[in-house]
Amino acid sequence: AQKVTQAQTEISVVEKEDVTLDCVYETRDTTYYLFWYKQPPSGELVFLIRRNSFDEQNEISGRYSWNFQKSTSSFNFTITASQVVDSAVYFCALKWGGGNKLTFGTGTQLKVEL
Amino acid sequence: NAGVTQTPKFQVLKTGQSMTLQCAQDMNHEYMSWYRQDPGMGLRLIHYSVGAGITDQGEVPNGYNVSRSTTEDFPLRLLSAAPSQTSVYFCASTETGANSPLHFGNGTRLTVT
């Protein structure tokens, strides 16, 4: 069965701290895709990044970086020097079944305070 | 640059009433889907469609119907609303291609009393 686990329900940090959001997934598919989405307080869902199962290269985009490790079935997301605008719920998701089904984790609420 | 448009944004229903949540996209995406978001449960797939005339069930399809008569539209019908269907509903679309990200609408907040 496909499953995405985001064990951290809520994280609070002070601005400028680094923070890592954990994501662990389960799938029997050999080809799959992983995504991160951000849901700010306004409620919309914003796509952040995708990763293919055969591409373990880590990625950095500004203050955001992602670490994909197949050996531990993890796809963790780090925000460096967090800002108040980073406050949001972050969802990790797994696309499987030939790409027709997307399973989400339960989300991590990140609060960045001054 | 509309993207995925959902209407209405808010809706209150009484138990047993029916309604249709509308979803339209202007990106010529073949794949469309409906999710519901509940506290502590993330987003769960209700129904999806890989093209006009083709629909399939997701994780939580009971109580919901869908149809896909055109590429652009994918309405979600609640035939007899129940309080358990109180939720935020998101419609999403994507290009063909397994690594394509979903583009989400802004959501519909539904309350069933």
Side-chain angles (χ1 to χ4, degrees):
Chain A
Q2 276 50 232
K3 187 177 179 182
V4 177
T5 301
Q6 294 181 257
Q8 303 152 308
T9 304
E10 187 172 319
I11 301 175
S12 290
V13 298
V14 176
E15 203 176 38
K16 296 183 186 170
E17 284 185 9
D18 298 347
V19 58
T20 295
L21 310 182
D22 297 332
C23 173
V24 174
Y25 62 92
E26 297 175 29
T27 180
R28 291 197 193 102
D29 288 7
T30 53
T31 300
Y32 53 89
Y33 305 85
L34 295 162
F35 298 81
W36 276 94
Y37 285 85
K38 175 182 180 180
Q39 187 176 42
S42 50
E44 72 272 22
L45 286 151
V46 179
F47 163 68
L48 294 177
I49 192 172
R50 90 194 92 192
R51 178 61 71 228
N52 303 329
S53 56
F54 40 87
D55 179 7
E56 287 195 69
Q57 190 173 5
N58 292 329
E59 181 153 341
I60 298 174
S61 176
R63 296 183 297 106
Y64 295 172
S65 62
W66 291 268
N67 180 263
F68 175 36
Q69 291 194 332
K70 285 181 77 171
S71 60
T72 56
S73 297
S74 64
F75 186 41
N76 296 336
F77 173 29
T78 297
I79 301 175
T80 302
S82 60
Q83 299 177 1
V84 172
V85 294
D86 296 326
S87 296
V89 180
Y90 291 86
F91 290 98
C92 180
L94 169 69
K95 205 174 196 188
W96 55 281
N100 288 336
K101 301 187 179 183
L102 192 64
T103 296
F104 282 83
T106 52
T108 297
Q109 169 84 59
L110 175 64
K111 295 185 179 179
V112 182
E113 300 164 332
L114 291 171
Chain B
N1 207 11
V4 180
T5 303
Q6 287 184 240
T7 55
K9 290 192 174 194
F10 302 95
Q11 183 71 49
V12 179
L13 291 178
K14 289 187 165 79
T15 297
Q17 286 185 317
S18 63
M19 80 158 295
T20 299
L21 306 185
Q22 301 291 346
C23 176
Q25 53 92 8
D26 61 359
M27 297 173 282
N28 203 32
H29 287 167
E30 290 295 323
Y31 181 91
M32 296 185 73
S33 55
W34 278 101
Y35 287 84
R36 59 177 289 173
Q37 182 179 16
D38 301 293
M41 304 193 74
L43 286 87
R44 293 179 293 168
L45 180 63
I46 304 172
H47 286 285
Y48 66 97
S49 168
V50 299
I54 307 169
T55 63
D56 204 348
Q57 296 181 350
E59 182 184 353
V60 288
N62 292 340
Y64 307 96
N65 280 349
V66 292
S67 60
R68 185 95 179 271
S69 55
T70 66
T71 299
E72 294 77 22
D73 300 299
F74 191 44
L76 179 71
R77 296 184 189 84
L78 285 72
L79 296 179
S80 179
S84 60
Q85 294 178 304
T86 294
S87 187
V88 180
Y89 292 84
F90 286 95
C91 179
S93 73
T94 188
E95 305 165 311
T96 303
N99 66 341
S100 301
L102 291 181
H103 300 263
F104 285 91
N106 287 334
T108 295
R109 185 173 293 275
L110 175 67
T111 302
V112 183
T113 60

